[in-house]
Amino acid sequence: MTRILALANQKGGVGKTTTAINLGACLAERGARVLLVDIDAQGNATSGLGLDGTAHAGVYQMLVEDVPARECIIPTHQPGLEIIPASSDLAGAEVELVPMMAREYRLKRALEPLDGAYDFILLDCPPSLGLLTLNALAAATEVLIPVQCEYLALEGLSHLAQTLDLVRRNLNHGLRIGGLLLTMYDSRTNLSQQVADEVRKHFPETFQTAIPRSVRLSEAPSHGVSILAYDPSSRGAEAYRALADEVLARDPESSVRG
Ligand code: ADP
Ligand code: MG
């Protein structure tokens, strides 16, 4: 079965897109077949993989114009990692979806024909809890929540937890919390340690792996490649490999092993 992971947090700049790209690349490196779906109109996952979302059918065409998902898929530089790109027209989708029938389930329906074709589908969500994020949460089997270690995040997280409860009650009974991921962790600062301790205390499903603050991770997207292509032996690359192993290990049914 395909595991569909939504990378969600209504706060921007917490590492959703960085995680979508690099977790996707590391799962693919481990031999998994991975599809990344860029549902943020900013298209950072698309451009971060060196691709141009305006040159190809993407998430907008799939959600609003019923273009089949298979026609929207493009390969990336990383073997095993493919993407359905975003482009700026996706910003209009939040509004254009409103009058549509079963508007929260457009993404789920669109991805159904791909079931089994991938081990993982990663959904890179926009920084809001709007209709695109609800589509991702309705389609997902798990939600993975990046939390930036430079900011006391608990208030935002309790809002997100309430939304996830509502989603589970109304849209997607089976949605699991795949895990919280500490990002931009800097072991030298008290604040990082404090945020990490608080998050782990409130959310035992937090991953063991914390992603360190690393300039190499922030540089890679401007070269249009994942950290595995940009600096494969960097601390950031090692951290995302460790995360991929944890994600693989959290699935009792998984047959893909590193
Ligand atoms: P989001 O998708 O949640 O808005 P991004 O993944 O785009 O967040 O990250 C926000 C910014 O922080 C980007 O400029 C990104 O390159 C940078 N960044 C993300 N993770 C790290 C990290 N571990 N170390 C350093 N910079 C990071
Ligand atoms: Mg993003």
Side-chain angles (χ1 to χ4, degrees):
M1 204 191 79
T2 302
R3 289 172 68 185
I4 305 181
L5 274 59
L7 291 143
N9 188 328
Q10 73 277 20
K11 191 163 157 36
V14 298
K16 291 183 288 295
T17 300
T18 304
T19 300
I21 291 174
N22 294 306
L23 173 60
C26 290
L27 288 168
E29 186 185 52
R30 292 290 192 246
R33 299 160 301 163
V34 185
L35 176 68
L36 175 52
V37 183
D38 186 355
I39 66 165
D40 185 354
Q42 290 181 48
N44 293 340
T46 304
S47 62
L49 285 164
L51 300 164
D52 176 7
T54 59
H56 196 275
V59 172
Y60 177 86
Q61 286 72 21
M62 184 173 81
L63 290 183
V64 178
E65 296 173 352
D66 287 317
V67 174
R70 279 186 198 282
E71 293 175 23
C72 302
I73 297 169
I74 41 184
T76 72
H77 67 84
Q78 172 76 43
L81 177 64
E82 299 178 317
I83 186 169
I84 298 182
S87 54
S88 53
D89 50 10
L90 194 53
E94 290 275 6
V95 175
E96 288 174 59
L97 288 172
V98 170
M100 289 189 178
M101 193 79 107
R103 60 192 181 185
E104 289 93 354
Y105 292 108
R106 303 282 300 176
L107 182 64
K108 185 181 170 70
R109 296 278 142 73
L111 296 176
E112 265 162 6
L114 302 179
D115 193 40
Y118 293 93
D119 298 300
F120 290 92
I121 298 180
L122 304 183
L123 310 174
D124 186 25
C125 292
S128 72
L129 294 173
L131 210 34
L132 285 169
T133 296
L134 287 179
N135 263 269
L137 296 174
T141 56
E142 298 160 53
V143 54
L144 202 157
I145 304 163
V147 180
Q148 186 186 356
C149 286
E150 292 173 352
Y151 173 85
L152 277 175
L154 289 178
E155 201 175 313
L157 286 178
S158 70
H159 183 198
L160 183 56
Q162 282 167 16
T163 302
L164 293 176
D165 273 345
L166 283 173
V167 167
R168 259 193 297 265
R169 261 181 278 148
N170 297 291
L171 295 176
N172 182 357
H173 299 294
L175 182 66
R176 296 195 299 119
I177 307 266
L180 283 82
L181 174 67
L182 299 165
T183 64
M184 299 182 222
Y185 181 77
D186 184 344
S187 57
R188 296 165 304 181
T189 70
N190 286 335
L191 182 57
S192 265
Q193 197 55 59
Q194 204 183 328
V195 173
D197 290 347
E198 291 271 299
V199 170
R200 287 192 196 284
K201 193 171 86 192
H202 284 84
F203 301 95
E205 56 277 73
T206 304
F207 289 103
Q208 285 302 310
T209 305
I211 307 300
R213 170 160 276 286
S214 141
V215 176
R216 307 300 272 166
L217 282 172
S218 63
E219 287 170 346
S222 56
H223 298 265
V225 293
S226 78
I227 193 66
L228 296 187
Y230 184 61
D231 192 347
S233 56
S234 61
R235 284 187 318 141
E238 286 307 330
Y240 274 110
R241 285 193 182 99
L243 175 66
D245 289 340
E246 271 195 79
V247 168
L248 288 165
R250 281 189 186 192
D251 180 15
E253 290 173 38
S254 176
S255 57
V256 183
R257 286 285 179 268

